[in-house]
Amino acid sequence: MDASEALAAFAALGQPTRLDAFRLLIGAGEGGLPAGEIAARLDVRHNTLSSNLAILQQAGLLRSRREGRSIRYAADLDGLRRLLGFLLQDCCGGRPELCAPLIEEIACACQAPSGDLRASGTPASGPARPATSAP
């Protein structure tokens, strides 16, 4: 992750509804939640939520998949790991390998979905992005 990608992620998380949605989806695990359920839990209008989820997805923090007429969203744990890696790349006296266990622990032991949910920037009807390894 480079500085511009990190700035996009922080900008996406810098709005209360988006931050709440991201935290909710991290808690939901790899299965995520349907958009309607996210809207209900956060007490947000569907069209407002849709715009906010799109911003999080463009920032590489969410994945999505279409389920009939609904879209299911989940936190992109690979995106979270990349953001944490960016923040900690110069820690430990410039030896990021010393911080790798910390990054993995913070990002949790949850596995990112392998092909079920679409990566940021990929339409829900398009092909799934292959899983990538953490930094």
Side-chain angles (χ1 to χ4, degrees):
M1 174 171 284
D2 63 21
S4 65
E5 292 168 322
L7 287 170
F10 287 123
L13 293 171
Q15 194 272 348
T17 301
R18 292 193 292 265
L19 181 60
D20 290 346
F22 186 65
R23 294 186 70 212
L24 176 66
L25 289 169
I26 286 176
E30 70 180 47
L33 295 170
E37 188 171 339
I38 299 167
R41 287 192 188 187
L42 298 179
D43 193 26
V44 176
R45 292 184 3 222
H46 290 267
N47 61 341
T48 300
L49 180 68
S50 178
S51 298
N52 284 309
L53 293 176
I55 291 168
L56 288 166
Q57 191 167 5
Q58 290 169 353
L61 297 171
L62 294 186
R63 296 174 180 258
S64 67
R65 82 166 169 245
R66 182 164 291 283
E67 293 180 340
R69 294 177 49 191
S70 180
I71 298 177
R72 179 175 291 269
Y73 291 90
D76 184 335
L77 298 179
D78 287 334
L80 178 58
R81 284 185 187 99
R82 286 189 306 273
L83 182 59
L84 292 171
F86 173 82
L87 289 173
L88 297 174
Q89 72 186 6
D90 295 323
C91 73
C92 301
R95 296 183 56 204
E97 70 277 4
L98 297 176
C99 297
L102 173 64
I103 294 169
E104 286 303 312
E105 186 175 329
I106 291 172
C108 82
C110 301
Q111 295 297 315
S114 58
D116 286 349
L117 296 176
R118 307 303 187 239
S120 63
T122 304
S125 59
R129 181 180 79 180
T132 58
S133 61

